[in-house]
Amino acid sequence: MRTSLKYLALLGYLVFLAFPLLWLLSTAFKTPREMANLHPRWIPHHPTLRNFSDAFAAQDLTGAAVRSLVVAVSVAVLTVVIALPAAYALARRRSVLNRIAIGWVLVSQVFPVVLTIIPLFIILRRLDLVNTLLGLILVHTTFVLPFALWMLQGYVRNVPRELEEAAAVDGAGRWKTLAGVIAPLLAPGVVATLLFSFISSWNEFFFALVIIKDPDQATLPLTLVRFTGAEQAARLGPLAAASVLATIPSLVFFAIIQRRLRSGLTAGAVKG
């Protein structure tokens, strides 16, 4: 009975998560008349692809998707490159400074984002990085890094110190030990960090809105906003179609990374 209730609760949670995506998918294939119906249907009576063609005709979705992909991939890779050695240092070196650093990582997550945007904008303007993808990459990395650092240092703590001692006996230095011994064992943590960083950057809107002013530099979330008119009247059909297309890269990335994550966890269990 208890197991059945757990599965029922899990099923309800999955339905709750899937509802927005299913409704978005349904709306993307509806005609304007069906969307205006007082009794909406889940399955469109006359499915159409016109919303997708209208979306591409109205906005540069391909260019925006490419820019978002460049930013998200860059943020994911840069975050892992910085966070991995930093997490190793925080997990292995016990000192007052490290405790302060970990505390600061946690405290930094409490600050409201709106309080930091003005100082960040001033810094980027002085560096001539406003309205550039590089500036957006640096800002995204800055805000993704604390959580990634906290997550990775937890994985590092689970790696036995005996492996490092054995590598040191064989003559391996710190960096060689980190790259050849520790990093392969942290594959699930690295994959999870890549996934978190990519999706966080791909979906981010607020920083992009403040930093990017040129429509030719707009990322995908900024482009989706343009389907809302001056009187806040959204073109629901093209907006839903563009939103469906916007979810595909993150879903594909998750499918690829999830397989790597599962294989990494299995390999780690076998080695243990």
Side-chain angles (χ1 to χ4, degrees):
M1 183 63 179
R2 184 178 300 177
T3 303
S4 300
L5 290 176
K6 288 181 180 179
Y7 280 111
L8 185 62
L10 180 60
L11 179 62
Y13 183 63
L14 291 177
V15 171
F16 174 76
L17 292 179
F19 176 79
L21 184 59
L22 293 177
W23 187 262
L24 185 68
L25 190 63
S26 174
T27 305
F29 291 96
K30 288 181 178 180
T31 61
R33 178 176 295 180
E34 285 187 280
M35 283 184 282
N37 196 334
L38 295 178
H39 303 284
R41 303 164 55 98
W42 273 98
I43 301 177
H45 189 65
H46 300 288
T48 178
L49 294 175
R50 183 172 180 178
N51 291 325
F52 292 89
S53 60
D54 288 347
F56 278 101
Q59 302 293 339
D60 182 19
L61 293 179
T62 303
V66 170
R67 289 187 289 272
S68 288
L69 189 63
V70 169
V71 172
V73 171
S74 301
V75 169
V77 173
L78 188 59
T79 298
V80 170
V81 169
I82 296 174
L84 185 57
Y88 176 78
L90 287 177
R92 287 295 189 249
R93 299 295 183 92
R94 301 296 180 87
S95 65
V96 177
L97 183 61
N98 279 10
R99 294 193 187 96
I100 294 175
I102 294 176
W104 177 249
V105 167
L106 295 176
V107 171
S108 66
Q109 301 300 295
V110 181
F111 292 150
V113 174
V114 69
L115 294 180
T116 62
I117 191 61
I118 295 178
L120 278 174
F121 185 84
I122 294 174
I123 293 173
L124 291 177
R125 186 177 60 183
R126 291 183 177 179
L127 295 175
D128 200 21
L129 291 177
V130 174
N131 200 33
T132 64
L133 295 183
L134 178 58
L136 188 60
I137 290 171
L138 294 177
V139 172
H140 283 184
T141 303
T142 301
F143 278 84
V144 169
L145 192 58
F147 184 80
L149 183 60
W150 175 258
M151 183 166 54
L152 274 179
Q153 65 96 23
Y155 280 92
V156 174
R157 290 183 187 276
N158 291 327
V159 176
R161 288 180 177 268
E162 289 76 9
L163 295 176
E164 299 178 50
E165 295 172 357
V169 171
D170 292 338
R174 284 286 183 183
W175 285 103
K176 188 175 181 180
T177 300
L178 178 61
V181 178
I182 304 299
L185 297 176
L186 296 179
V190 171
V191 169
T193 303
L194 283 171
L195 178 62
F196 169 77
S197 304
F198 179 90
I199 294 179
S200 297
S201 178
W202 179 267
N203 294 329
E204 201 282 320
F205 172 77
F206 181 67
F207 289 120
L209 178 65
V210 175
I211 296 172
I212 303 298
K213 299 300 181 184
D214 189 353
D216 293 334
Q217 295 292 324
T219 56
L220 202 51
L222 294 181
T223 304
L224 294 179
V225 175
R226 296 197 177 98
F227 286 101
T228 302
E231 298 179 356
Q232 304 302 316
R235 300 173 59 191
L236 290 180
L239 176 59
S243 299
V244 168
L245 295 175
T247 62
I248 292 177
S250 57
L251 292 176
V252 171
F253 185 80
F254 175 77
I256 297 173
I257 291 295
Q258 187 266 348
R259 190 181 309 165
R260 303 289 183 184
L261 177 61
R262 185 173 54 193
S263 62
L265 289 172
T266 305
V270 173
K271 291 180 181 179

